[in-house]
Amino acid sequence: MHYLLPAARSARLGRRMALIAYDRVDTAAFEETRHLRDDDLATWRAAIGRHFEPRPGVRLLDLGCGTGSWARAFRTWWPGIAVLAVEPSAAMRERSMFQPVSAGAADDIPFPDASLDGVWLSTVIHHVPDLEAAAREIRRVLKPGAPVLIRSAFAGRHEAINLFRWFPEAVAVLDRYPSIPDVEAAFATAGFTATGCEPVPQVTAPSVADAAAGLQRDAHTPLQLISDQAYAAGVARLQEAARTESGPVVDALDLLVLR
Ligand SMILES: C[S@@+](CC[C@H](N)C(=O)[O-])C[C@H]1O[C@@H](n2cnc3c(N)ncnc32)[C@H](O)[C@@H]1O
């Protein structure tokens, strides 16, 4: 168990945030465009419920909670459990719709040993600079046998995500993210074994036209890391799709569970 003074923690966190910094602009863009609508969370509620039992009093940590939409959903779905939230970006912590949010990171979690019944990481794992250090820290705070629930787009898994159809250059960015075997191997060093992995479908936007109208480059790490030319070409593809395609935008991200 270790606690840092706030200033020391903040300096350490600054060095640990990877890929993009989640400053005020990124945070606002994420908040405006990346939250799933409450009705569209049902597939995730069911998927998480297959691996995590929300018994009264259990403690579930939303690690890298961002603007807090998952922590808020957990509190709404399961009022009897204790939901905790940790986030390294001050801009995200300030705007979080779930409070309180503690400063911390995947390798620096401000909770005692064996104090948690589950850890949730949603679209966070690719930002973690040292997966083995994160796995050790998550092992420390979890009770034996409790699950790590990782929601992510993983390297090599672009085909179920429409964004990569419109922005194919962003596939190369996704392929720099950890793959499922990479995460399994890193967590194995801390004694974890994968106990489940499933693609979970979600309605990301009610229509392609909505997706096109609401797109914000700052809200998507893969779009921030392609060239301006590739981004412009993708926007043109998306606008063409908005004119010709009907129906909701359904993507699938993966849920990887380790214990
Ligand atoms: C794409 S956002 C996802 C936010 C939230 N989990 C969600 O799904 O809505 C990624 C988040 O990971 C956070 N993050 C970055 N590096 C991290 C680290 N090393 N440990 C924990 N969280 C981190 C970022 O600050 C940001 O809030």
Side-chain angles (χ1 to χ4, degrees), residues 4-259:
L4 293 172
L5 294 171
R9 179 182 291 283
S10 162
R12 287 179 55 176
L13 295 176
R15 289 199 300 276
R16 287 192 179 142
M17 289 162 57
L19 285 184
I20 63 172
Y22 285 104
D23 57 14
R24 287 178 185 280
V25 173
D26 299 325
T27 297
F30 189 88
E31 185 179 41
E32 278 173 36
T33 67
R34 291 283 303 275
H35 294 162
L36 299 180
R37 294 174 314 168
D38 289 347
D39 289 351
D40 297 331
L41 291 174
T43 51
W44 281 101
R45 181 177 181 171
I48 296 165
R50 285 193 276 281
H51 304 276
F52 169 77
E53 196 186 339
R55 285 173 285 109
V58 300
R59 290 158 59 87
L60 176 62
L61 170 63
D62 185 354
L63 180 54
C65 70
T67 47
S69 63
W70 288 99
R72 186 184 67 167
F74 299 151
R75 191 182 262 170
T76 307
W77 296 344
W78 303 311
I81 76 168
V83 180
L84 306 158
V86 164
E87 165 60 45
S89 153
M92 286 289 198
R93 289 196 302 276
E94 278 164 25
R95 289 187 85 116
S96 177
M97 63 183 78
F98 176 94
Q99 293 293 342
V101 181
S102 303
D107 61 352
D108 188 8
I109 301 173
F111 295 117
D113 297 1
S115 60
L116 302 176
D117 300 282
V119 173
W120 166 255
L121 297 108
S122 164
T123 62
V124 166
I125 203 77
H126 55 288
H127 291 296
V128 174
D130 182 341
L131 282 178
E132 291 188 13
R136 279 195 300 279
E137 181 68 341
I138 292 169
R139 178 71 280 159
R140 181 185 70 76
V141 293
L142 272 181
K143 294 176 186 169
V148 191
L149 304 142
I150 301 176
R151 170 181 182 262
S152 191
F154 291 97
R157 303 280 292 164
H158 60 272
E159 288 196 352
I161 303 174
N162 285 283
L163 196 71
F164 296 106
R165 192 158 60 82
W166 303 313
F167 297 90
E169 291 85 354
V171 173
V173 180
L174 183 72
D175 286 343
R176 302 207 303 264
Y177 285 22
S179 66
I180 290 170
D182 289 340
V183 176
E184 287 177 353
F187 276 71
T189 66
F192 287 100
T193 309
T195 57
C197 187
E198 55 180 289
V200 180
Q202 62 181 47
V203 176
T204 304
S207 69
V208 182
D210 282 292
L215 182 74
Q216 288 200 38
R217 188 178 188 181
D218 288 328
H220 299 271
T221 304
L223 301 188
Q224 291 195 38
L225 298 177
I226 59 176
S227 70
D228 292 347
Q229 200 183 7
Y231 180 72
V235 169
R237 278 184 214 104
L238 175 54
Q239 286 170 345
E240 176 58 21
R243 278 189 289 276
T244 55
E245 295 180 22
S246 58
V249 178
V250 180
D251 295 314
L253 270 64
D254 292 302
L255 176 63
L256 173 63
V257 183
L258 305 113
R259 291 176 193 272

